[in-house]
Amino acid sequence: MANHDNLSTHDAHAHGDGMDKKRIWSVFFVLLALTALEFLIALGFVHHWGILHKGALVNTIYIVLTLVKAYYIVAFFMHLKFEKSGFIITCGIVFIFIIYFIILLLVEGNYLLHHLQEHSVYPNN
């Protein structure tokens, strides 16, 4: 029975190594700052002041900021940062395949959209 108690306290200790209140609040404020930066870019630089124009640059900035926020959420709040490296690599490979399939579907869908509209749906009517 004492061995079981020792194992359960060891497992509880292993999961709580990296996330204390200070770390949670620091990650919260990083996410808050990134979200505030996104709003500043969207509402200030693009719409109000007109410093940036809608286009590839603004979309790239949004994508990068969103990926950084996704990293913080997955790494700290889903505890992936504290897992073994093999599991992290496995999740990363799956994520890359999902992104690849999304890009593939968008390219194929764009191709079909443009090439199917050249022909009428009902040619005999």
Side-chain angles (χ1 to χ4, degrees), residues 62-89:
Y62 287 148
I63 289 169
V64 168
L65 289 175
T66 302
L67 287 175
V68 171
K69 284 171 50 174
Y71 165 76
Y72 271 94
I73 291 169
V74 170
F76 291 103
F77 291 124
M78 296 174 71
H79 304 282
L80 190 60
K81 186 174 178 79
F82 311 109
E83 294 290 337
K84 298 201 183 301
S85 62
F87 183 68
I88 294 172
I89 291 170

PDB file of all heavy atoms in Angstrom, residues 62-89:
ATOM      1  N   TYR A  62      -1.137  38.548 -39.010  1.00  0.00           N
ATOM      2  CA  TYR A  62      -2.182  37.861 -38.238  1.00  0.00           C
ATOM      3  C   TYR A  62      -1.880  36.381 -38.085  1.00  0.00           C
ATOM      4  O   TYR A  62      -2.074  35.809 -37.011  1.00  0.00           O
ATOM      5  CB  TYR A  62      -3.545  38.021 -38.911  1.00  0.00           C
ATOM      6  CG  TYR A  62      -4.151  39.389 -38.782  1.00  0.00           C
ATOM      7  CD1 TYR A  62      -4.949  39.901 -39.788  1.00  0.00           C
ATOM      8  CD2 TYR A  62      -3.939  40.176 -37.663  1.00  0.00           C
ATOM      9  CE1 TYR A  62      -5.516  41.147 -39.687  1.00  0.00           C
ATOM     10  CE2 TYR A  62      -4.500  41.426 -37.554  1.00  0.00           C
ATOM     11  CZ  TYR A  62      -5.291  41.908 -38.568  1.00  0.00           C
ATOM     12  OH  TYR A  62      -5.847  43.138 -38.461  1.00  0.00           O
ATOM     13  N   ILE A  63      -1.425  35.746 -39.151  1.00  0.00           N
ATOM     14  CA  ILE A  63      -1.132  34.312 -39.099  1.00  0.00           C
ATOM     15  C   ILE A  63       0.007  34.035 -38.130  1.00  0.00           C
ATOM     16  O   ILE A  63      -0.060  33.102 -37.317  1.00  0.00           O
ATOM     17  CB  ILE A  63      -0.833  33.774 -40.511  1.00  0.00           C
ATOM     18  CG1 ILE A  63      -2.114  33.751 -41.345  1.00  0.00           C
ATOM     19  CG2 ILE A  63      -0.217  32.378 -40.454  1.00  0.00           C
ATOM     20  CD1 ILE A  63      -1.885  33.480 -42.816  1.00  0.00           C
ATOM     21  N   VAL A  64       1.060  34.841 -38.172  1.00  0.00           N
ATOM     22  CA  VAL A  64       2.194  34.641 -37.272  1.00  0.00           C
ATOM     23  C   VAL A  64       1.769  34.845 -35.820  1.00  0.00           C
ATOM     24  O   VAL A  64       2.100  34.040 -34.936  1.00  0.00           O
ATOM     25  CB  VAL A  64       3.361  35.571 -37.653  1.00  0.00           C
ATOM     26  CG1 VAL A  64       4.431  35.598 -36.584  1.00  0.00           C
ATOM     27  CG2 VAL A  64       3.962  35.139 -38.987  1.00  0.00           C
ATOM     28  N   LEU A  65       1.022  35.915 -35.545  1.00  0.00           N
ATOM     29  CA  LEU A  65       0.565  36.162 -34.178  1.00  0.00           C
ATOM     30  C   LEU A  65      -0.370  35.058 -33.686  1.00  0.00           C
ATOM     31  O   LEU A  65      -0.296  34.635 -32.529  1.00  0.00           O
ATOM     32  CB  LEU A  65      -0.129  37.521 -34.090  1.00  0.00           C
ATOM     33  CG  LEU A  65       0.779  38.746 -34.220  1.00  0.00           C
ATOM     34  CD1 LEU A  65      -0.042  40.024 -34.246  1.00  0.00           C
ATOM     35  CD2 LEU A  65       1.792  38.786 -33.097  1.00  0.00           C
ATOM     36  N   THR A  66      -1.213  34.557 -34.567  1.00  0.00           N
ATOM     37  CA  THR A  66      -2.117  33.475 -34.186  1.00  0.00           C
ATOM     38  C   THR A  66      -1.349  32.193 -33.909  1.00  0.00           C
ATOM     39  O   THR A  66      -1.672  31.455 -32.974  1.00  0.00           O
ATOM     40  CB  THR A  66      -3.167  33.253 -35.289  1.00  0.00           C
ATOM     41  OG1 THR A  66      -3.869  34.474 -35.497  1.00  0.00           O
ATOM     42  CG2 THR A  66      -4.135  32.156 -34.913  1.00  0.00           C
ATOM     43  N   LEU A  67      -0.311  31.901 -34.691  1.00  0.00           N
ATOM     44  CA  LEU A  67       0.501  30.709 -34.447  1.00  0.00           C
ATOM     45  C   LEU A  67       1.272  30.818 -33.134  1.00  0.00           C
ATOM     46  O   LEU A  67       1.430  29.827 -32.416  1.00  0.00           O
ATOM     47  CB  LEU A  67       1.455  30.455 -35.617  1.00  0.00           C
ATOM     48  CG  LEU A  67       0.801  29.936 -36.899  1.00  0.00           C
ATOM     49  CD1 LEU A  67       1.826  29.840 -38.017  1.00  0.00           C
ATOM     50  CD2 LEU A  67       0.136  28.604 -36.656  1.00  0.00           C
ATOM     51  N   VAL A  68       1.738  32.013 -32.796  1.00  0.00           N
ATOM     52  CA  VAL A  68       2.424  32.202 -31.516  1.00  0.00           C
ATOM     53  C   VAL A  68       1.436  31.988 -30.363  1.00  0.00           C
ATOM     54  O   VAL A  68       1.759  31.323 -29.372  1.00  0.00           O
ATOM     55  CB  VAL A  68       3.075  33.602 -31.443  1.00  0.00           C
ATOM     56  CG1 VAL A  68       3.594  33.901 -30.048  1.00  0.00           C
ATOM     57  CG2 VAL A  68       4.203  33.713 -32.456  1.00  0.00           C
ATOM     58  N   LYS A  69       0.227  32.523 -30.503  1.00  0.00           N
ATOM     59  CA  LYS A  69      -0.783  32.306 -29.469  1.00  0.00           C
ATOM     60  C   LYS A  69      -1.143  30.826 -29.360  1.00  0.00           C
ATOM     61  O   LYS A  69      -1.302  30.303 -28.255  1.00  0.00           O
ATOM     62  CB  LYS A  69      -2.036  33.132 -29.783  1.00  0.00           C
ATOM     63  CG  LYS A  69      -1.872  34.602 -29.472  1.00  0.00           C
ATOM     64  CD  LYS A  69      -3.004  35.456 -29.962  1.00  0.00           C
ATOM     65  CE  LYS A  69      -4.356  35.005 -29.595  1.00  0.00           C
ATOM     66  NZ  LYS A  69      -5.409  35.955 -29.982  1.00  0.00           N
ATOM     67  N   ALA A  70      -1.259  30.145 -30.485  1.00  0.00           N
ATOM     68  CA  ALA A  70      -1.573  28.714 -30.466  1.00  0.00           C
ATOM     69  C   ALA A  70      -0.458  27.927 -29.781  1.00  0.00           C
ATOM     70  O   ALA A  70      -0.720  26.978 -29.036  1.00  0.00           O
ATOM     71  CB  ALA A  70      -1.797  28.203 -31.881  1.00  0.00           C
ATOM     72  N   TYR A  71       0.810  28.329 -30.016  1.00  0.00           N
ATOM     73  CA  TYR A  71       1.926  27.662 -29.347  1.00  0.00           C
ATOM     74  C   TYR A  71       1.807  27.804 -27.830  1.00  0.00           C
ATOM     75  O   TYR A  71       1.969  26.837 -27.095  1.00  0.00           O
ATOM     76  CB  TYR A  71       3.263  28.229 -29.821  1.00  0.00           C
ATOM     77  CG  TYR A  71       4.402  27.831 -28.919  1.00  0.00           C
ATOM     78  CD1 TYR A  71       4.923  26.548 -28.976  1.00  0.00           C
ATOM     79  CD2 TYR A  71       4.917  28.715 -27.986  1.00  0.00           C
ATOM     80  CE1 TYR A  71       5.954  26.164 -28.139  1.00  0.00           C
ATOM     81  CE2 TYR A  71       5.943  28.343 -27.133  1.00  0.00           C
ATOM     82  CZ  TYR A  71       6.462  27.072 -27.221  1.00  0.00           C
ATOM     83  OH  TYR A  71       7.464  26.690 -26.383  1.00  0.00           O
ATOM     84  N   TYR A  72       1.541  29.011 -27.360  1.00  0.00           N
ATOM     85  CA  TYR A  72       1.431  29.227 -25.910  1.00  0.00           C
ATOM     86  C   TYR A  72       0.280  28.425 -25.312  1.00  0.00           C
ATOM     87  O   TYR A  72       0.408  27.856 -24.235  1.00  0.00           O
ATOM     88  CB  TYR A  72       1.250  30.722 -25.599  1.00  0.00           C
ATOM     89  CG  TYR A  72       2.567  31.424 -25.416  1.00  0.00           C
ATOM     90  CD1 TYR A  72       3.185  32.079 -26.469  1.00  0.00           C
ATOM     91  CD2 TYR A  72       3.194  31.423 -24.186  1.00  0.00           C
ATOM     92  CE1 TYR A  72       4.392  32.709 -26.301  1.00  0.00           C
ATOM     93  CE2 TYR A  72       4.404  32.064 -24.008  1.00  0.00           C
ATOM     94  CZ  TYR A  72       4.999  32.702 -25.072  1.00  0.00           C
ATOM     95  OH  TYR A  72       6.207  33.315 -24.895  1.00  0.00           O
ATOM     96  N   ILE A  73      -0.852  28.378 -26.004  1.00  0.00           N
ATOM     97  CA  ILE A  73      -2.002  27.638 -25.485  1.00  0.00           C
ATOM     98  C   ILE A  73      -1.701  26.149 -25.427  1.00  0.00           C
ATOM     99  O   ILE A  73      -1.933  25.486 -24.412  1.00  0.00           O
ATOM    100  CB  ILE A  73      -3.249  27.930 -26.335  1.00  0.00           C
ATOM    101  CG1 ILE A  73      -3.696  29.372 -26.124  1.00  0.00           C
ATOM    102  CG2 ILE A  73      -4.378  26.966 -25.995  1.00  0.00           C
ATOM    103  CD1 ILE A  73      -4.731  29.840 -27.096  1.00  0.00           C
ATOM    104  N   VAL A  74      -1.144  25.609 -26.513  1.00  0.00           N
ATOM    105  CA  VAL A  74      -0.859  24.173 -26.551  1.00  0.00           C
ATOM    106  C   VAL A  74       0.290  23.822 -25.609  1.00  0.00           C
ATOM    107  O   VAL A  74       0.240  22.817 -24.904  1.00  0.00           O
ATOM    108  CB  VAL A  74      -0.548  23.728 -27.997  1.00  0.00           C
ATOM    109  CG1 VAL A  74      -0.011  22.323 -28.041  1.00  0.00           C
ATOM    110  CG2 VAL A  74      -1.788  23.843 -28.858  1.00  0.00           C
ATOM    111  N   ALA A  75       1.304  24.630 -25.558  1.00  0.00           N
ATOM    112  CA  ALA A  75       2.482  24.304 -24.758  1.00  0.00           C
ATOM    113  C   ALA A  75       2.202  24.383 -23.259  1.00  0.00           C
ATOM    114  O   ALA A  75       2.616  23.499 -22.511  1.00  0.00           O
ATOM    115  CB  ALA A  75       3.636  25.233 -25.119  1.00  0.00           C
ATOM    116  N   PHE A  76       1.504  25.407 -22.823  1.00  0.00           N
ATOM    117  CA  PHE A  76       1.357  25.613 -21.393  1.00  0.00           C
ATOM    118  C   PHE A  76       0.011  25.137 -20.848  1.00  0.00           C
ATOM    119  O   PHE A  76      -0.035  24.436 -19.846  1.00  0.00           O
ATOM    120  CB  PHE A  76       1.574  27.078 -21.037  1.00  0.00           C
ATOM    121  CG  PHE A  76       2.998  27.495 -21.235  1.00  0.00           C
ATOM    122  CD1 PHE A  76       3.377  28.239 -22.336  1.00  0.00           C
ATOM    123  CD2 PHE A  76       3.968  27.114 -20.334  1.00  0.00           C
ATOM    124  CE1 PHE A  76       4.687  28.606 -22.526  1.00  0.00           C
ATOM    125  CE2 PHE A  76       5.292  27.482 -20.510  1.00  0.00           C
ATOM    126  CZ  PHE A  76       5.650  28.233 -21.618  1.00  0.00           C
ATOM    127  N   PHE A  77      -1.086  25.503 -21.494  1.00  0.00           N
ATOM    128  CA  PHE A  77      -2.387  25.135 -20.938  1.00  0.00           C
ATOM    129  C   PHE A  77      -2.773  23.704 -21.267  1.00  0.00           C
ATOM    130  O   PHE A  77      -3.574  23.110 -20.573  1.00  0.00           O
ATOM    131  CB  PHE A  77      -3.465  26.111 -21.390  1.00  0.00           C
ATOM    132  CG  PHE A  77      -3.292  27.469 -20.786  1.00  0.00           C
ATOM    133  CD1 PHE A  77      -3.193  28.581 -21.583  1.00  0.00           C
ATOM    134  CD2 PHE A  77      -3.214  27.625 -19.415  1.00  0.00           C
ATOM    135  CE1 PHE A  77      -3.028  29.833 -21.028  1.00  0.00           C
ATOM    136  CE2 PHE A  77      -3.037  28.872 -18.851  1.00  0.00           C
ATOM    137  CZ  PHE A  77      -2.949  29.972 -19.662  1.00  0.00           C
ATOM    138  N   MET A  78      -2.238  23.146 -22.348  1.00  0.00           N
ATOM    139  CA  MET A  78      -2.483  21.735 -22.657  1.00  0.00           C
ATOM    140  C   MET A  78      -1.287  20.881 -22.229  1.00  0.00           C
ATOM    141  O   MET A  78      -1.237  19.699 -22.540  1.00  0.00           O
ATOM    142  CB  MET A  78      -2.787  21.572 -24.135  1.00  0.00           C
ATOM    143  CG  MET A  78      -4.070  22.279 -24.554  1.00  0.00           C
ATOM    144  SD  MET A  78      -4.386  22.246 -26.300  1.00  0.00           S
ATOM    145  CE  MET A  78      -4.785  20.548 -26.534  1.00  0.00           C
ATOM    146  N   HIS A  79      -0.320  21.474 -21.566  1.00  0.00           N
ATOM    147  CA  HIS A  79       0.829  20.812 -20.953  1.00  0.00           C
ATOM    148  C   HIS A  79       1.715  20.052 -21.937  1.00  0.00           C
ATOM    149  O   HIS A  79       2.385  19.103 -21.549  1.00  0.00           O
ATOM    150  CB  HIS A  79       0.383  19.857 -19.829  1.00  0.00           C
ATOM    151  CG  HIS A  79      -0.437  20.527 -18.785  1.00  0.00           C
ATOM    152  ND1 HIS A  79       0.121  21.311 -17.812  1.00  0.00           N
ATOM    153  CD2 HIS A  79      -1.775  20.540 -18.573  1.00  0.00           C
ATOM    154  CE1 HIS A  79      -0.830  21.786 -17.033  1.00  0.00           C
ATOM    155  NE2 HIS A  79      -1.996  21.334 -17.475  1.00  0.00           N
ATOM    156  N   LEU A  80       1.727  20.440 -23.204  1.00  0.00           N
ATOM    157  CA  LEU A  80       2.564  19.734 -24.167  1.00  0.00           C
ATOM    158  C   LEU A  80       4.041  20.059 -23.965  1.00  0.00           C
ATOM    159  O   LEU A  80       4.907  19.241 -24.257  1.00  0.00           O
ATOM    160  CB  LEU A  80       2.137  20.078 -25.596  1.00  0.00           C
ATOM    161  CG  LEU A  80       2.755  19.252 -26.706  1.00  0.00           C
ATOM    162  CD1 LEU A  80       2.401  17.789 -26.519  1.00  0.00           C
ATOM    163  CD2 LEU A  80       2.300  19.730 -28.049  1.00  0.00           C
ATOM    164  N   LYS A  81       4.336  21.221 -23.424  1.00  0.00           N
ATOM    165  CA  LYS A  81       5.731  21.600 -23.194  1.00  0.00           C
ATOM    166  C   LYS A  81       6.394  20.694 -22.154  1.00  0.00           C
ATOM    167  O   LYS A  81       7.605  20.510 -22.179  1.00  0.00           O
ATOM    168  CB  LYS A  81       5.796  23.054 -22.741  1.00  0.00           C
ATOM    169  CG  LYS A  81       7.198  23.588 -22.622  1.00  0.00           C
ATOM    170  CD  LYS A  81       7.163  25.063 -22.315  1.00  0.00           C
ATOM    171  CE  LYS A  81       8.537  25.620 -22.148  1.00  0.00           C
ATOM    172  NZ  LYS A  81       9.205  25.868 -23.401  1.00  0.00           N
ATOM    173  N   PHE A  82       5.609  20.097 -21.294  1.00  0.00           N
ATOM    174  CA  PHE A  82       6.158  19.281 -20.228  1.00  0.00           C
ATOM    175  C   PHE A  82       6.127  17.789 -20.546  1.00  0.00           C
ATOM    176  O   PHE A  82       6.391  16.974 -19.692  1.00  0.00           O
ATOM    177  CB  PHE A  82       5.394  19.561 -18.925  1.00  0.00           C
ATOM    178  CG  PHE A  82       5.273  21.030 -18.641  1.00  0.00           C
ATOM    179  CD1 PHE A  82       4.064  21.679 -18.747  1.00  0.00           C
ATOM    180  CD2 PHE A  82       6.395  21.759 -18.294  1.00  0.00           C
ATOM    181  CE1 PHE A  82       3.956  23.037 -18.505  1.00  0.00           C
ATOM    182  CE2 PHE A  82       6.303  23.118 -18.045  1.00  0.00           C
ATOM    183  CZ  PHE A  82       5.087  23.752 -18.155  1.00  0.00           C
ATOM    184  N   GLU A  83       5.782  17.446 -21.780  1.00  0.00           N
ATOM    185  CA  GLU A  83       5.750  16.037 -22.201  1.00  0.00           C
ATOM    186  C   GLU A  83       7.121  15.613 -22.725  1.00  0.00           C
ATOM    187  O   GLU A  83       8.015  16.431 -22.898  1.00  0.00           O
ATOM    188  CB  GLU A  83       4.697  15.834 -23.293  1.00  0.00           C
ATOM    189  CG  GLU A  83       3.284  16.042 -22.835  1.00  0.00           C
ATOM    190  CD  GLU A  83       2.791  14.963 -21.890  1.00  0.00           C
ATOM    191  OE1 GLU A  83       3.348  13.847 -21.909  1.00  0.00           O
ATOM    192  OE2 GLU A  83       1.855  15.242 -21.136  1.00  0.00           O
ATOM    193  N   LYS A  84       7.253  14.339 -23.021  1.00  0.00           N
ATOM    194  CA  LYS A  84       8.492  13.815 -23.586  1.00  0.00           C
ATOM    195  C   LYS A  84       8.624  14.264 -25.039  1.00  0.00           C
ATOM    196  O   LYS A  84       7.638  14.529 -25.721  1.00  0.00           O
ATOM    197  CB  LYS A  84       8.492  12.300 -23.496  1.00  0.00           C
ATOM    198  CG  LYS A  84       8.442  11.807 -22.061  1.00  0.00           C
ATOM    199  CD  LYS A  84       8.945  10.395 -21.976  1.00  0.00           C
ATOM    200  CE  LYS A  84       8.843   9.844 -20.580  1.00  0.00           C
ATOM    201  NZ  LYS A  84       9.531  10.545 -19.568  1.00  0.00           N
ATOM    202  N   SER A  85       9.856  14.348 -25.528  1.00  0.00           N
ATOM    203  CA  SER A  85      10.104  14.893 -26.860  1.00  0.00           C
ATOM    204  C   SER A  85       9.493  14.033 -27.963  1.00  0.00           C
ATOM    205  O   SER A  85       9.094  14.555 -28.996  1.00  0.00           O
ATOM    206  CB  SER A  85      11.594  15.063 -27.087  1.00  0.00           C
ATOM    207  OG  SER A  85      12.247  13.808 -27.014  1.00  0.00           O
ATOM    208  N   GLY A  86       9.410  12.726 -27.785  1.00  0.00           N
ATOM    209  CA  GLY A  86       8.808  11.864 -28.800  1.00  0.00           C
ATOM    210  C   GLY A  86       7.346  12.185 -29.030  1.00  0.00           C
ATOM    211  O   GLY A  86       6.867  12.203 -30.173  1.00  0.00           O
ATOM    212  N   PHE A  87       6.623  12.446 -27.959  1.00  0.00           N
ATOM    213  CA  PHE A  87       5.211  12.809 -28.081  1.00  0.00           C
ATOM    214  C   PHE A  87       5.054  14.168 -28.752  1.00  0.00           C
ATOM    215  O   PHE A  87       4.155  14.366 -29.572  1.00  0.00           O
ATOM    216  CB  PHE A  87       4.562  12.803 -26.701  1.00  0.00           C
ATOM    217  CG  PHE A  87       3.097  13.095 -26.725  1.00  0.00           C
ATOM    218  CD1 PHE A  87       2.209  12.197 -27.285  1.00  0.00           C
ATOM    219  CD2 PHE A  87       2.611  14.267 -26.185  1.00  0.00           C
ATOM    220  CE1 PHE A  87       0.858  12.466 -27.309  1.00  0.00           C
ATOM    221  CE2 PHE A  87       1.261  14.547 -26.202  1.00  0.00           C
ATOM    222  CZ  PHE A  87       0.380  13.639 -26.768  1.00  0.00           C
ATOM    223  N   ILE A  88       5.937  15.097 -28.435  1.00  0.00           N
ATOM    224  CA  ILE A  88       5.893  16.427 -29.049  1.00  0.00           C
ATOM    225  C   ILE A  88       6.144  16.323 -30.546  1.00  0.00           C
ATOM    226  O   ILE A  88       5.457  16.956 -31.358  1.00  0.00           O
ATOM    227  CB  ILE A  88       6.906  17.369 -28.366  1.00  0.00           C
ATOM    228  CG1 ILE A  88       6.484  17.616 -26.922  1.00  0.00           C
ATOM    229  CG2 ILE A  88       7.026  18.682 -29.122  1.00  0.00           C
ATOM    230  CD1 ILE A  88       7.513  18.366 -26.107  1.00  0.00           C
ATOM    231  N   ILE A  89       7.120  15.505 -30.946  1.00  0.00           N
ATOM    232  CA  ILE A  89       7.419  15.323 -32.368  1.00  0.00           C
ATOM    233  C   ILE A  89       6.243  14.676 -33.081  1.00  0.00           C
ATOM    234  O   ILE A  89       5.876  15.067 -34.195  1.00  0.00           O
ATOM    235  CB  ILE A  89       8.714  14.508 -32.540  1.00  0.00           C
ATOM    236  CG1 ILE A  89       9.906  15.339 -32.073  1.00  0.00           C
ATOM    237  CG2 ILE A  89       8.908  14.061 -33.976  1.00  0.00           C
ATOM    238  CD1 ILE A  89      11.196  14.568 -31.971  1.00  0.00           C
TER     239      ILE A  89
END
